[in-house]
Structure formats: structure tokens, C-alpha cells
């Protein structure tokens, strides 16, 4: 099985640091993920640094490949079974609509925590699992017995019918 | 003393043809500061009156709870769609995907002049929906309100530039403006209020808050909440704090 980590168009050092970590990688391997793709954005330095350290310690880890950004990130999302994503709403919506297992990692360093509000709200509805960088390996362990409620399909007719009503079209 | 006053006057007052009386008035003007104060008071009073008139008019045109449009339901509705940066554009494209091409026509896409990705997305959507035969849309470029990392001292200039650029939307007097949160919405809504204040046309403004906003509004949302005609949110939690908002489920 394949897992994908995505940090979005900027960087997220703490997420890269906690994903490329002995404990998290072995948990992923035990769960059956033998391939890990990491979209690291501007966190390239951390990515390279962590990768060097990890390669010497253990071989019971998934195969790791990484890139900074791809316009067709969606292809990689489609191919993977688990997505570990930053808390941006676009990325979350896209993953949920593909009906993937989703762990959203919130960035606690961001001052405006409305991203966390979204992650919490969606977790409460059972669509995804929310995690902080430190809790990641615990949340991965919880993945085994987790049932994800399927996210409703996109319905663009709601807004159209609302607007038709407002503008006097029937 | 007399000479000093004369030297302060513009040259043409000093020529022979100027009547003595006029010279007198000018002299008293310079010599009597209390008259200056009277003038100042008068102009201040006028400004306050003007401000009150403006506020009263603004209050009169602000959207009330039951403001239904008085327009003919069969004529097409000239629509202005404000596209912003990445996430906002993705949501906006989803929102307008199901709008009827003939009812909402022509469509004007307002895009910041540094944003090329939004234009690609808009053109892509138009091609998907209509094929080739009717190209009933325009792309309108306006200056961006604030670049990332722009120095604070140049902000007032770019605000004025953005405001002036937003006047372009009035060129075809749209019936409807749909916006969902990029900074340029603010200048566009300000400009869209002008015809309404002057009683020329009520341009309807519909604002859709992002799916990312669960408990608190974005800065743009908070600013536009009192002025837009319809304020849509995508989480029911927001209705408690913002009773005028409308929740119809997830829209994007």
C-alpha cells in the first residue's frame, strides 16, 4: 500500500521532521505501507537532513521518495491509500472527495488557528483523523480500527438554485 | 506694516486697476484671523452635514433582511465573478459551475493582474461548459491590493490603485457580483456601492465564505458582512454569531 504526505504550496518543517522518524516509519511499515511519497514543498533541507539520518538506522521502513511540488499532485493522491496532509481546506476537500483515509496534521505554530477549527469539525463528524506533529505515531496506531464516514459528494447545484431563487429565475 | 502686508499679496492685486475696496478686503483677511476661523468653522459644518447625508444614504441602501431584487426574471443577469488566489479560485469555480450560461450572461471574471492561474481556470471552465460557439465572458484585470511582502509604506498607494482599478467593473454595470474572500473583493464592493448610493442601480452582491471557516469569519468576511445582500456560510456554527448569514450545506 502507498502513503502520501503533502505539505501544500509552502513548507511545513515540523511535519516532515515527525514523518521521517524511526517510530512513525516503522508504524507505517507495520500497517502495510511499503511506499511513502513525500511532497515537501519548501522544507527540502529538513527532508534531506532527516533522510540521511534514517537510512543508516533501520531497514524495516517504507521506500521513501520525495519532490517539492507537482501540478498533478492529484494523480499521486489517487494512487495512495493513506494521505497525511497539512490542514489546508483545499487539500482536505480533495482527499475527502477521493474517499481516502486521511490524517490531517495541524500546524500549531500558525497564529490564526482556523485551520485547526476545520480539522476538529471534520474529525468530530468522523470524516478524518486530526493530529499534531507530536501525536502522529499514536494517531497512526489508531488507524487500524478506525472507520471513516464517507464524505458527501460535491453538489454544485445548491448554490445555483439559491442564486436562481434570489435573482428571480425559476 | 503696510509694506509687509502688500508683499504678502499676489502681484496682480498690486497693479493700479485693482479697486481700493478689494485691496481692503484682502488686507482685513490677512489682518483678522478670526474671519479665517469663521470660514474654517463653516466648512467644517458643511463637511459634517455632508457626512451625515452620506451616512443616512448609506444606512438607507444597506441590505435589509427582506431585500428581494426588483428585476425582470427573464432577462439575463450581467454577472461579475471575483477570482482570487489558489484556494478561493478553486471554491469559486465549484460555486459557479452549475450556473446557467444564458441566465447569467455575460460573465465578467475579475482577476488580479499578477494572477495567471485563475485566468487559466476561468477559461477552462468556460470551455467545458459551452464548447466553442458562445464565448459570453470577459476577463478583467485589476491591480492587486497587496503583494505578499510589500512594504507597509506603499500600501496606501496600492489601495488607491486597486480602488481606481476596481472602477472598471462599472463599465457594463453588472446586476450581480459574486465574491468569496480575496482582498480585492473589498475594493470591488466599495465601488459597486457607488451606483447604489447615487440611486442609479442596485448591484446585488453575494458573498460566500470559505469552507475553511467553521467558527470565525475571514477578515474580508467580517468587513463585508454588513454590506452584502446575501452572506452565505458553509458551517452552521457561524449562524449563532452572524444571524444574517445563510447556511445551505456545503457548497463547494
Amino acid at each position: 500500500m502507498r502513503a502520501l504526505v503533502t505539505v501544500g504550496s509552502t513548507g511545513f518543517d515540523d511535519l516532515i521532521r515527525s514523518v521521517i522518524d524511526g517510530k512513525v516509519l516503522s508504524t507505517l511499515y507495520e500497517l502495510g505501507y511499503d511506499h511513502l511519497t513525500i511532497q515537501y514543498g519548501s522544507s527540502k533541507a529538513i527532508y534531506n537532513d532527516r533522510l540521511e539520518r534514517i537510512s543508516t538506522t533501520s531497514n524495516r521502513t517504507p521506500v521513501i521518495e520525495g519532490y517539492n511540488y507537482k501540478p498533478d499532485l492529484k494523480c499521486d493522491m489517487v494512487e495512495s491509500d493513506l494521505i497525511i496532509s497539512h490542514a489546508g481546506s483545499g487539500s482536505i476537500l480533495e482527499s475527502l472527495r477521493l474517499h481516502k483515509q486521511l490524517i490531517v496534521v495541524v500546524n500549531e505554530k500558525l497564529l490564526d488557528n482556523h485551520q485547526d477549527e476545520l480539522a476538529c469539525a471534520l474529525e468530530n463528524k468522523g470524516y478524518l483523523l486530526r493530529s499534531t506533529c507530536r501525536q502522529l505515531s499514536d494517531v497512526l496506531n489508531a488507524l487500524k480500527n478506525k472507520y471513516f464516514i464517507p464524505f458527501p459528494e460535491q453538489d454544485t447545484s445548491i448554490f445555483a438554485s439559491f442564486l436562481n431563487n434570489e435573482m428571480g429565475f425559476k | 506694516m503696510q509694506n509687509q502686508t502688500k508683499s504678502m499679496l499676489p502681484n496682480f492685486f498690486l497693479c493700479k486697476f485693482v479697486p481700493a475696496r478689494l485691496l481692503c478686503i484682502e488686507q482685513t483677511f490677512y489682518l483678522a484671523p478670526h474671519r479665517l476661523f469663521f470660514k474654517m468653522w463653516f466648512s467644517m459644518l458643511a463637511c459634517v452635514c455632508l457626512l451625515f447625508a452620506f451616512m443616512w444614504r448609506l444606512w438607507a441602501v444597506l441590505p435589509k433582511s427582506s431585500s428581494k431584487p426588483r428585476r425582470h426574471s427573464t432577462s439575463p443577469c450581467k454577472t461579475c465573478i471575483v477570482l482570487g488566489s489558489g484556494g478561493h479560485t478553486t471554491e469559486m469555480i465549484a460555486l459557479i459551475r452549475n450556473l446557467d450560461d444564458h441566465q447569467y450572461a455575460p460573465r465578467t471574471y475579475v482577476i488580479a493582474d499578477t494572477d495567471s492561474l485563475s485566468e487559466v481556470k476561468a477559461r477552462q471552465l468556460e470551455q467545458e461548459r459551452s464548447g466553442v460557439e458562445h464565448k459570453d465572458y470577459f476577463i478583467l484585470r485589476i491591480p492587486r491590493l497587496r503583494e505578499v511582502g510589500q512594504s507597509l509604506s506603499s500600501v496606501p498607494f496600492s489601495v488607491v490603485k486597486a480602488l481606481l482599478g476596481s472602477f472598471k467593473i462599472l463599465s457594463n454595470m453588472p446586476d450581480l457580483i459574486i465574491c468569496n474572500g480575496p482582498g480585492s473583493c473589498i475594493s470591488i464592493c466599495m465601488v459597486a456601492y457607488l451606483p447604489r448610493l447615487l440611486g442609479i442601480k442596485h448591484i446585488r452582491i453575494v458573498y460566500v465564505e470559505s469552507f475553511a471557516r467553521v467558527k470565525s469569519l475571514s477578515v474580508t468576511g467580517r468587513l463585508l458582512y454588513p454590506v452584502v445582500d446575501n452572506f452565505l456560510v458553509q458551517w452552521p456554527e457561524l449562524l449563532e454569531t452572524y444571524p444574517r448569514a445563510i447556511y445551505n450545506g456545503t457548497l463547494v
Side-chain angles (χ1 to χ4, degrees), chain B residues 10-239:
Chain B
N11 278 338
F12 65 88
F13 280 128
L14 299 176
C15 69
K16 289 185 215 167
F17 313 113
V18 176
R21 241 187 110 195
L22 186 61
L23 203 63
C24 244
I25 292 168
E26 284 307 314
Q27 276 175 355
T28 45
F29 180 81
Y30 281 106
L31 290 171
H34 64 273
R35 290 211 172 192
L36 193 69
F37 278 118
F38 181 74
K39 264 190 170 177
M40 263 172 63
W41 271 110
F42 189 76
S43 51
M44 265 168 74
L45 197 70
C47 280
V48 168
C49 285
L50 217 66
L51 194 71
F52 266 100
F54 173 77
M55 297 293 263
W56 175 79
R57 181 66 192 147
L58 189 68
W59 181 81
V61 297
L62 275 180
K64 309 292 183 292
S65 52
S66 60
S67 56
K68 281 271 167 188
R70 272 170 291 166
R71 58 181 297 281
H72 211 254
S73 57
T74 49
S75 61
C77 156
K78 286 183 270 180
T79 309
C80 189
I81 297 153
V82 188
L83 296 181
S85 48
H88 291 301
T89 301
T90 313
E91 285 203 11
M92 182 56 90
I93 297 287
L95 287 172
I96 59 174
R97 190 171 287 276
N98 255 12
L99 295 186
D100 188 283
D101 311 357
H102 302 288
Q103 285 173 336
Y104 297 92
R107 293 167 295 285
T108 308
Y109 293 93
V110 183
I111 301 174
D113 50 13
T114 48
D115 182 3
S116 54
L117 207 67
S118 292
E119 181 173 343
V120 173
K121 284 187 178 173
R123 290 195 191 279
Q124 211 177 334
L125 176 74
E126 286 292 336
Q127 254 167 20
E128 276 172 34
R129 59 155 41 144
S130 64
V132 209
E133 71 269 36
H134 45 84
K135 283 205 167 114
D136 214 359
Y137 73 96
F138 310 97
I139 303 273
L140 192 69
R141 296 206 156 267
I142 61 163
R144 175 161 278 196
L145 199 61
R146 208 173 83 89
E147 289 296 343
V148 177
Q150 185 186 350
S151 72
L152 268 173
S153 58
S154 64
V155 165
F157 293 105
S158 50
V159 167
V160 170
K161 228 173 98 183
L163 212 57
L164 289 177
S166 304
F167 271 92
K168 286 189 221 163
I169 65 155
L170 295 181
S171 59
N172 76 336
M173 277 288 172
D175 300 297
L176 170 68
I177 293 176
I178 309 174
C179 52
N180 73 340
S184 51
C185 293
I186 297 166
S187 59
I188 286 169
C189 290
M190 280 168 87
V191 169
Y193 249 73
L194 271 183
R196 195 188 295 197
L197 283 169
L198 300 172
I200 300 168
K201 184 172 188 175
H202 182 138
I203 300 177
R204 204 169 175 81
I205 307 173
V206 175
Y207 181 88
V208 184
E209 186 57 282
S210 162
F211 174 72
R213 292 293 174 161
V214 182
K215 287 177 187 163
S216 59
L217 295 183
S218 61
V219 178
T220 316
R222 255 173 284 167
L223 285 169
L224 293 181
Y225 175 74
V227 297
V228 299
D229 296 279
N230 299 111
F231 193 95
L232 282 86
V233 292
Q234 305 195 54
W235 287 93
E237 284 88 334
L238 285 166
L239 296 178

Side-chain angles (χ1 to χ4, degrees), chain A residues 106 113-122, chain B residues 212-216:
Chain A
V106 296
N113 65 347
H114 75 268
Q115 288 197 332
D116 193 24
E117 285 175 11
L118 179 68
C120 286
L122 289 167
Chain B
R213 292 293 174 161
V214 182
K215 287 177 187 163
S216 59

Side-chain angles (χ1 to χ4, degrees), chain A residues 89 93 97 112 114 117-118 121-122 125 151 154-160 162-169, chain B residues 69 71 73 75 94-95 98-99 103-104 178 204 208 211-215 230 232 235 248 250-252:
Chain A
S89 68
L93 267 180
R97 291 259 156 75
D112 182 10
H114 75 268
E117 285 175 11
L118 179 68
L122 289 167
K125 295 200 167 204
F151 192 71
Q154 187 176 47
D155 186 358
T156 52
S157 66
I158 303 174
F159 181 68
F162 167 82
L163 209 57
N164 286 347
N165 191 30
E166 283 298 319
M167 299 312 291
F169 296 125
Chain B
R71 58 181 297 281
S73 57
S75 61
L95 287 172
N98 255 12
L99 295 186
Q103 285 173 336
Y104 297 92
I178 309 174
R204 204 169 175 81
V208 184
F211 174 72
R213 292 293 174 161
V214 182
K215 287 177 187 163
N230 299 111
L232 282 86
W235 287 93
N248 281 349
T250 306
L251 306 171
V252 292

Side-chain angles (χ1 to χ4, degrees), chain A residues 74-169:
Chain A
K74 197 173 178 178
C75 298
D76 283 358
M77 292 174 101
V78 172
E79 279 178 13
S80 45
D81 307 275
L82 167 70
I83 297 173
I84 299 172
S85 167
H86 70 117
S89 68
S91 178
I92 292 178
L93 267 180
E94 205 164 3
S95 310
L96 289 179
R97 291 259 156 75
L98 292 169
H99 300 297
K100 300 293 175 184
Q101 296 201 319
L102 176 62
I103 296 176
V104 168
V105 182
V106 296
N107 191 349
E108 289 162 303
K109 283 184 183 164
L110 287 181
L111 287 172
D112 182 10
N113 65 347
H114 75 268
Q115 288 197 332
D116 193 24
E117 285 175 11
L118 179 68
C120 286
L122 289 167
E123 187 187 40
N124 289 340
K125 295 200 167 204
Y127 298 132
L128 53 80
L129 280 173
R130 175 195 167 276
S131 171
T132 58
C133 292
R134 256 176 281 145
Q135 294 171 324
L136 190 57
S137 84
D138 298 335
V139 174
L140 277 170
N141 278 319
L143 203 63
K144 262 179 264 177
N145 321 317
K146 172 73 184 171
Y147 169 72
F148 288 95
I149 292 170
F151 192 71
E153 295 297 328
Q154 187 176 47
D155 186 358
T156 52
S157 66
I158 303 174
F159 181 68
S161 59
F162 167 82
L163 209 57
N164 286 347
N165 191 30
E166 283 298 319
M167 299 312 291
F169 296 125

